[in-house]
């Protein structure tokens, strides 16, 4: 099996993982989660989003969370910014990277960010320009690359179109996101190939939700294509408020365990990560969905 020589994981737990929680999660818990993740060796953390608090109340404490983080050298902190208003609020908190997020499905774009795909690109363009002028790296997320909760199957050509439009406005990296976790390896590979028509291998990442239990297989399928950057979420937390029924991202524990088993270095301490997953799930009063987390916890309990 041919695998990339390195791998980068972005833990999106504090943002994607928590955004869909119905009960308010205190800012200090979110800050504590970021601190624990960086202590466990994560070098990239997606912290929060500067979106409308009416749409996503859980992220209303974005500035407080960003301000509360004691930054660790070598760690990069990203935030979501859907428009100029969000970007202007975000820059105060000095993110290393911002994320504009669009979709390959028109219906999902409307439900998630209240505009068409074409309008979203118009909104992103000044955000990208302003960020790059300030030397802030710009990532784009393309949601619903395989399937949409409102439109059903999504053709790779739709992914290619959004990747092309994002490239044209200067987005530096695109994340290929299976928002509702319906993808299977060949489908996800086709979506990734569509993004690769406009982006280099070094400038794409995978963001796979695990609703149908395929996210780890989809990660391996993309690793085999040479894709080396992935979004993961500690304990498998997460979901999108505008994709009902979709579960969390692939668990960071599961991906780290697989990568270590493949002989790849992640720089992440798996035991520490398992403890973090248990800690945040205890706060949220649930079990981690990560199988690796459950297995390692059970093994520790037997000792
Ligand atoms: P809108 O209503 O079209 O915006 O929302 P608007 O420009 O018409 O403004 C309406 C009101 O919102 C105004 O306030 C604005 O000030 C305010 P009012 O005058 O009524 O009091 N507003 C804002 N407030 C705070 N921050 C802002 C902001 N913008 C406007 N940035 C908007 C457009 C995008 C803001 C809205 O639709 C929104 O917030 N959507 C939330 C989207 C979201 O967070 N979704 C989840 C994250 S994406 C995701 O999870 C997918 C991903 O993980 C990849 C995958 O898995 O697919 C990334
Ligand atoms: Mg997501």
């Amino acid at each position: 099996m041919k695998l990339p020589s390195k791998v980068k994981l972005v833990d999106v737990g504090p943002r994607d993982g928590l955004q869909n929680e119905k009960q308010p999660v205190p800012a200090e818990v979110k800050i504590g989660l970021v601190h624990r993740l960086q202590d466990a060796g994560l070098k990239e953390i997606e912290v929060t989003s500067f979106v409308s608090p009416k749409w996503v109340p859980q992220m209303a404490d974005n500035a407080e969370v960003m301000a509360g983080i004691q930054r660790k050298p070598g760690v990069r902190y990203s935030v979501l910014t859907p428009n100029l208003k969000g970007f202007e609020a975000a820059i105060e908190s000095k993110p290393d990277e911002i994320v504009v997020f669009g979709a390959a499905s028109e219906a999902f774009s409307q439900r998630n960010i209240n505009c068409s795909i074409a309008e979203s690109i118009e909104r992103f363009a000044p955000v990208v320009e302003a960020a790059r002028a300030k030397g802030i790296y710009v990532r784009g997320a393309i949601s619903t690359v395989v399937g949409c909760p409102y439109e059903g199957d999504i053709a790779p050509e739709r992914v290619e179109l959004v990747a092309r439009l994002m490239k044209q406005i200067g987005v530096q990296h695109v994340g290929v996101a299976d928002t509702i976790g319906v993808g299977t390896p060949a489908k996800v590979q086709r979506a990734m190939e569509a993004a690769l028509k406009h982006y280099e291998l070094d400038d794409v990442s995978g963001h796979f939700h695990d609703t149908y239990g395929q996210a780890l297989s989809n990660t391996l399928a993309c690793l085999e294509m040479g894709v080396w950057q992935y979004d993961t979420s500690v304990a498998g937390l997460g979901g999108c408020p505008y994709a009902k029924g979709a579960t969390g991202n692939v668990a960071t524990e599961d991906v780290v365990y697989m990568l270590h088993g493949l002989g790849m270095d992640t720089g992440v301490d798996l035991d520490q990560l398992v403890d973090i997953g248990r800690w945040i799930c205890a706060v949220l009063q649930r079990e981690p969905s990560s199988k690796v987390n459950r297995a390692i916890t059970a093994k520790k309990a037997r000792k």
Side-chain angles (χ1 to χ4, degrees), residues 9 56 123 192 198 204 253 255:
L9 302 182
V56 187
R123 287 185 190 180
M192 192 59 84
H198 301 284
V204 296
E253 295 93 310
V255 174

Side-chain angles (χ1 to χ4, degrees), residues 15-16 19 46 49-56 80 82-83 85-87 99 101 108 112-114 123 141-144 177-179 207 209 239-242 249:
R15 195 280 304 170
D16 202 330
Q19 69 181 9
E46 197 171 274
S49 50
F50 287 80
V51 296
S52 162
K54 285 187 193 145
W55 284 61
V56 187
L80 268 56
N83 52 18
K85 187 176 170 76
F87 175 74
V99 186
F101 49 102
F108 189 77
N112 195 40
I113 52 174
N114 205 25
R123 287 185 190 180
I142 308 178
S143 287
T144 57
D178 180 11
T179 315
H207 176 111
H209 285 262
C240 174
Y242 302 99
N249 296 87

Side-chain angles (χ1 to χ4, degrees), residues 25-40:
V25 179
E28 52 276 24
V29 169
K30 294 169 181 162
I31 295 164
L33 179 58
V34 172
H35 288 163
R36 284 170 171 82
L37 290 170
Q38 62 192 19
D39 288 347

